[in-house]
Amino acid sequence: MSTQRQHLIKMTYYNANMIVVLSVFGISTIFFHYFSTLQTEDHFAFGITIPNFSIDTVGDWGCTADTLNTVKKIEQLNPNLVLALGDLSYATTGDCWFNDTKSIESKLKILFGNHEQDEGNPSSLMSQYLTHFHLTQTYYSFEYENVHFTIMNSEIDYTYGSPQYLFVKDDLLNASKNPHIKWTIVAFHTPMYTSPSRHPPAILFRIIYHPLFDKYGVDLVLQAHNHNYQRSYPLIYNYSNPRNPAIGVASNNTYLDPPGQVYLVVGTGGHPLYDLLGRLPYMAAQYRGFGLLSLDLLNNGTKLDGKFYDKQGVVIDKFTLRKR
């Protein structure tokens, strides 16, 4: 018999004795302690160690009335974490965006888009964001419960051998070896997959990184830059034709351990929207309108439910990823 199994049996026997003590002495505090302990042991015995938690994510915010509405919806959903997908203030300082998002600031993580990194913005803007969010670099990683996040900067050098490439490669490798990590989510601003809209896809970015995402088991890729919402089927890199990824699973919205990653564009935070000029065959859903994506991690962290809420709080799209 294993040591762990013996330990569980001893603990169960101990609590049975406590019931006897309870019946004899009728001490309510022991009764409470028994059930609290039993709940903890059941929690341990059945491997239920990850609480349910949620992540809200959206990019291309600006400082508009629609931005304030996005913040209000996030407040109502009350997630554990908020990930901002770049293009934050659309100004030469971050002040207006900091003011608009102050109610959710304690939950915020950010990445950097073209309106932070270039387009004639002063270097002080980048420094302001780095300082405000206690960052030393514009690409980084972090973990929340059993989810690993790799945050990339699509606006700076990402080519083979660059510091960012070496960081991402090592980071994804380490995450894939970590037994405590069930999900790996990558996020960056300029999309590698998008239906026709204002901005085309970053093909070189796709060629360099999609094979890494396949190799190291990335589950979800969050993008923005086009001011609309799009969701792909799980996609596998197509070495013979990188412009046309292979669809891992063609069902519309429920996937069990699918090959490839689901790619999302969530550029719907508040800045004026872009038209969708068609729908590529590997896109499962798309929508022109303001809103945000909510990711709920459920069932001991083995189920990921995604829902895109429009500005009225109506669910426009939903999907589910499950892990065995």
Side-chain angles (χ1 to χ4, degrees):
M1 183 179 294
S2 69
T3 302
Q4 183 183 59
R5 179 61 177 162
Q6 291 174 358
H7 178 62
L8 288 172
I9 290 174
K10 286 180 180 179
M11 293 179 75
T12 303
Y13 178 74
Y14 171 74
N15 282 313
N17 288 338
M18 289 190 69
I19 294 177
V20 175
V21 173
L22 173 64
S23 66
V24 174
F25 295 101
I27 303 173
S28 60
T29 53
I30 296 178
F31 181 79
F32 174 79
H33 176 74
Y34 164 70
F35 280 102
S36 298
T37 307
L38 181 60
Q39 183 180 24
T40 302
E41 290 167 13
D42 284 347
H43 196 75
F44 174 68
F46 291 97
I48 305 172
T49 57
I50 304 296
N52 293 343
F53 62 97
S54 61
I55 305 153
D56 287 356
T57 184
V58 64
D60 301 287
W61 297 67
C63 298
T64 69
D66 289 301
T67 308
L68 293 174
N69 187 70
T70 296
V71 173
K72 182 179 179 181
K73 294 302 177 187
I74 292 172
E75 291 172 354
Q76 292 170 350
L77 290 170
N78 193 27
N80 300 86
L81 179 70
V82 181
L83 179 58
L85 300 175
D87 281 8
L88 306 176
S89 70
Y90 285 83
T92 55
T93 77
D95 294 346
C96 70
W97 191 75
F98 295 149
N99 184 65
D100 286 354
T101 60
K102 60 185 177 182
S103 64
I104 58 172
E105 181 177 327
S106 63
K107 301 177 179 182
L108 267 171
K109 297 281 189 179
I110 69 165
L111 59 81
F112 294 83
N114 52 296
H115 282 278
E116 287 78 53
Q117 190 69 46
D118 50 31
E119 298 187 355
N121 287 319
S123 58
S124 58
L125 177 64
M126 177 66 67
S127 297
Q128 186 181 19
Y129 283 119
L130 288 168
T131 300
H132 192 86
F133 288 98
H134 309 290
L135 297 171
T136 59
Q137 184 56 271
T138 60
Y139 51 88
Y140 60 102
S141 66
F142 66 96
E143 289 168 2
Y144 192 94
E145 297 293 353
N146 64 344
V147 182
H148 180 87
F149 293 86
T150 301
I151 306 300
M152 298 179 64
N153 186 344
S154 56
E155 314 310 308
I156 64 173
D157 187 12
Y158 54 74
T159 54
Y160 297 112
S162 66
Q164 181 170 202
Y165 175 84
L166 296 175
F167 167 80
V168 171
K169 184 178 180 181
D170 288 344
D171 186 64
L172 293 179
L173 171 62
N174 291 334
S176 71
K177 292 180 177 180
N178 187 340
H180 302 295
I181 295 302
K182 195 77 170 178
W183 304 90
T184 299
I185 297 176
V186 175
F188 46 84
H189 185 69
T190 298
M192 64 168 65
Y193 291 106
T194 174
S195 282
S197 188
R198 178 75 65 87
H199 301 296
I203 300 297
L204 180 60
F205 199 77
R206 177 192 304 179
I207 291 170
I208 294 173
Y209 287 100
H210 193 169
L212 284 184
F213 299 167
D214 286 344
K215 181 177 182 179
Y216 295 120
V218 172
D219 300 290
L220 209 64
V221 179
L222 303 173
Q223 315 161 114
H225 197 42
N226 277 327
H227 300 180
N228 42 58
Y229 169 76
Q230 303 173 46
R231 173 174 62 88
S232 78
Y233 298 106
L235 301 181
I236 305 166
Y237 185 67
N238 185 347
Y239 286 89
S240 62
N241 186 359
R243 293 182 177 274
N244 292 295
I247 296 174
V249 181
S251 63
N252 190 50
N253 57 12
T254 302
Y255 312 106
L256 175 62
D257 284 335
Q261 308 81 41
V262 173
Y263 288 78
L264 295 118
V265 174
V266 197
T268 53
H271 210 255
L273 298 166
Y274 296 166
D275 289 334
L276 285 156
L277 307 176
R279 180 166 164 175
L280 294 177
Y282 52 76
M283 287 296 176
Q286 52 191 47
Y287 170 75
R288 184 187 184 276
F290 295 111
L292 63 96
L293 177 68
S294 181
L295 304 172
D296 293 315
L297 279 296
L298 309 167
N299 293 3
N300 192 29
T302 63
K303 178 184 178 185
L304 186 155
D305 276 350
K307 296 183 179 71
F308 181 83
Y309 292 91
D310 72 4
K311 64 186 296 182
Q312 283 79 36
V314 176
V315 176
I316 298 298
D317 180 49
K318 58 184 178 180
F319 64 96
T320 296
L321 298 174
R322 293 179 181 270
K323 297 270 190 174
R324 290 186 176 88

